Amino acid sequence: MLKVEDWAEIRRLHRAEGVPIKEIARLLGLARNTVRAALRSERPPRYERPARGSVADPFEPAIRALLARYPRMPAPVIAERVNWPHSLTPLKNRLRDIRPEYIGIDPADRVVYEPGQITQCDLWFPETKIPVGRGQERILPVLVMTLGFSRFLTATMIPSRQAGDILSGMWSLISQVGRVTTTLVWDRESAIGGTGRVTAPAAAFAGTLATRIRLAPPRDPEFKGIVERNNGYFETSFLPGREFASPEHFNTQLGDWLVRANQRTVRSLQGRPVDFLETDYQSMIPLPPIEPPIGLTHRIRLARDYYVRLDTVDYSVDPRMIGRFVDVTASPAEVIVFCQGQVVAQHRRSWAKQAVITDPQHVIHARQMRRDLTRERHSGQTTTTSDRQHDDGHIVELRALPDYDALFGVDFTPTPIPPMPSPPDTTERETTPS
């Protein structure tokens, strides 16, 4: 086949310099018919291999019959149904060509965001294991939030993907910016909207901030492509070559790196996110004067072992609260236990699993309570029901149960049941012959 270089040289020699065809053929070592053909062609020569067909051609009618009824049937299932004898690659290539005829094509539009309009949120799970204490290492989620207009990037590592921890991380990042956009976009994260509807904790959080949470369609990562690309940016630009001693160390390094990341030039903006942040900020919603409901919370009656469990970790509580209801609240940093509005326990949050966190003062109180109880038992002064007191100190008066029977005119005195007569003696008596 004639090379492109020879084709260009033939045209130059003949048309620009007037060299005859016979001389061109001699100079380039080509046949005169080849030179004539090159001069007749207005386009450079291109090699085209003749179509040989595909091993999928004989199976295409059966494949199309299946796709007509089940447009999204996976390739391995189709291969089984049509008795496909080859590797899956030719079948997948054919399905890539003909499947859109049955399910259609969903184009992704290029969206332009207005200032203060939207924030895209996502969880990124770095593969690096983080030491969390007690000899444990865990892969922890990182909450990533990106402003749609300015592309300003914020992120923080959180202890779990439970709703309380995610909302605590969101409030921390929103507070750093100082305002919130009118819409927060999330995928179908289970704690935010796993069922297709925004969960109650997430709705309460958004309502307090006067914003809304919008859920992305299922299996549509392009819906929040900005934050998805930033997750890849973390993987390639932040994570390589770094080591972390703890979650706090991770967040410290991440915070320092984000300062530089927000000063890079973004191609779609033709500028730096930090330079567009002020325009974004002016169109956002001011934050409310109160903090939205965040963190892990639950209420429980304190048992005899005076520990409460939160995220598989047991935390000690003042044993003097045994038998009372206590309210447990937890942020990523600390765990606080309240009883009737008073703090009865405060611990640093453990990010390790199956741990036991004990306040030594609680152990001292429990030991003293056991000594006092033993002393009372030995002295015969064990507390009775008549000694029960209210919280303010006055004695609880107890009435005898028969008084309530007389008040309602009932008598629960059991009537004695007469004894049953003994059955007659039916045994045969021995008779003496006369």
Side-chain angles (χ1 to χ4, degrees):
M1 180 181 175
L2 184 66
K3 297 180 180 178
V4 176
E5 297 85 353
D6 293 337
W7 174 83
E9 183 66 11
I10 291 171
R11 293 171 63 85
R12 184 190 69 82
L13 291 173
H14 185 73
R15 296 191 177 185
E17 300 185 9
V19 179
I21 293 176
K22 183 178 180 179
E23 184 64 18
I24 294 175
R26 187 186 66 80
L27 290 174
L28 299 181
L30 300 173
R32 281 176 286 182
N33 288 338
T34 303
V35 175
R36 293 188 183 96
L39 293 173
R40 287 194 302 266
S41 175
E42 297 296 332
R43 297 181 179 276
R46 184 177 62 180
Y47 175 72
E48 294 183 357
R49 178 179 295 176
R52 300 191 316 177
S54 170
V55 294
D57 291 342
F59 297 90
E60 184 168 336
I63 294 172
R64 288 184 175 275
L66 290 174
L67 292 179
R69 298 183 59 187
Y70 311 103
R72 300 186 181 275
M73 180 178 286
V77 180
I78 292 178
E80 180 182 355
R81 298 291 179 85
V82 301
N83 296 321
W84 181 259
H86 311 287
S87 68
L88 283 180
T89 300
L91 176 61
K92 290 181 177 179
N93 293 337
R94 181 56 57 90
L95 287 173
R96 191 178 299 114
D97 294 335
I98 66 177
R99 195 190 293 272
E101 300 177 17
Y102 298 91
I103 63 174
I105 299 176
D106 182 16
D109 295 330
R110 184 63 59 88
V111 181
V112 178
Y113 296 111
E114 299 296 329
Q117 177 184 2
I118 200 169
T119 300
Q120 295 187 4
C121 314
D122 196 18
L123 292 182
W124 167 53
F125 291 87
E127 296 182 356
T128 303
K129 291 187 176 181
I130 309 298
V132 292
R134 302 181 180 275
Q136 298 183 25
E137 293 183 339
R138 295 180 57 196
I139 294 179
L140 295 168
V142 176
L143 174 64
V144 183
M145 300 179 66
T146 306
L147 300 182
F149 173 75
S150 64
R151 304 297 198 271
F152 191 82
L153 181 61
T154 56
T156 184
M157 178 170 280
I158 56 179
S160 76
R161 60 195 302 177
Q162 299 181 69
D165 287 334
I166 293 177
L167 297 178
S168 294
M170 291 177 65
W171 176 242
S172 174
L173 299 182
I174 290 173
S175 300
Q176 292 178 21
V177 176
R179 290 192 176 188
V180 64
T181 55
T182 57
T183 303
L184 304 173
V185 176
W186 267 98
D187 55 13
R188 301 300 178 95
E189 179 64 34
S190 60
I192 303 297
T195 61
R197 298 182 60 183
V198 178
T199 60
F205 177 87
T208 306
L209 300 183
T211 183
R212 68 162 182 159
I213 294 178
R214 183 179 180 185
L215 300 179
R219 299 178 297 277
D220 189 3
E222 290 88 357
F223 193 83
K224 52 184 185 65
I226 297 176
V227 71
E228 294 285 354
R229 286 191 294 273
N230 281 334
N231 290 348
Y233 180 46
F234 282 120
E235 292 281 356
T236 58
S237 299
F238 167 72
L239 204 57
R242 293 181 182 267
E243 295 182 355
F244 310 100
S246 65
E248 293 83 2
H249 189 213
F250 182 96
N251 281 332
T252 299
Q253 293 193 48
L254 181 60
D256 296 339
W257 179 82
L258 285 173
V259 174
R260 301 193 304 271
N262 285 317
Q263 294 177 353
R264 76 193 192 282
T265 299
V266 178
R267 184 181 60 181
S268 60
L269 295 176
Q270 291 301 309
R272 306 184 304 170
V274 69
D275 297 332
F276 287 83
L277 178 60
E278 181 62 24
T279 304
D280 225 352
Y281 179 86
Q282 294 300 329
S283 299
M284 291 184 189
I285 303 173
L287 299 183
I290 61 173
E291 186 176 276
I294 57 176
L296 305 179
T297 61
H298 73 279
R299 197 177 200 214
I300 189 174
R301 188 185 294 275
L302 190 63
R304 284 183 57 199
D305 64 351
Y306 61 90
Y307 280 82
V308 293
R309 177 161 296 180
L310 184 78
D311 195 21
T312 75
V313 179
D314 294 333
Y315 298 89
S316 67
V317 181
D318 190 336
R320 291 172 293 188
M321 303 298 113
I322 290 176
R324 300 184 182 182
F325 281 103
V326 294
D327 297 296
V328 186
T329 63
S331 69
E334 64 179 355
V335 176
I336 303 178
V337 184
F338 297 90
C339 183
Q340 297 181 349
Q342 296 184 349
V343 177
V344 294
Q346 188 168 3
H347 301 274
R348 183 181 177 183
R349 174 84 177 268
S350 172
W351 290 30
K353 294 289 188 179
Q354 287 80 37
V356 178
I357 310 300
T358 303
D359 186 339
Q361 195 64 32
H362 296 162
V363 178
I364 295 175
H365 288 164
R367 186 181 301 117
Q368 185 61 41
M369 291 172 65
R370 285 191 294 270
R371 289 175 180 173
D372 293 343
L373 182 61
T374 303
R375 189 180 302 111
E376 290 177 358
R377 288 175 176 173
H378 289 169
S379 61
Q381 298 179 356
T382 304
T383 302
T384 62
T385 56
S386 61
D387 297 327
R388 288 193 248 183
Q389 299 179 354
H390 285 291
D391 293 337
D392 57 4
H394 73 272
I395 302 298
V396 178
E397 296 183 3
L398 299 180
R399 185 179 292 274
L401 293 180
D403 295 344
Y404 294 98
D405 298 343
L407 177 64
F408 292 100
V410 296
D411 184 9
F412 291 102
T413 303
T415 302
I417 301 175
M420 296 289 294
S422 58
D425 188 4
T426 58
T427 58
E428 297 183 357
R429 296 182 180 180
E430 184 180 355
T431 58
T432 304
S434 55

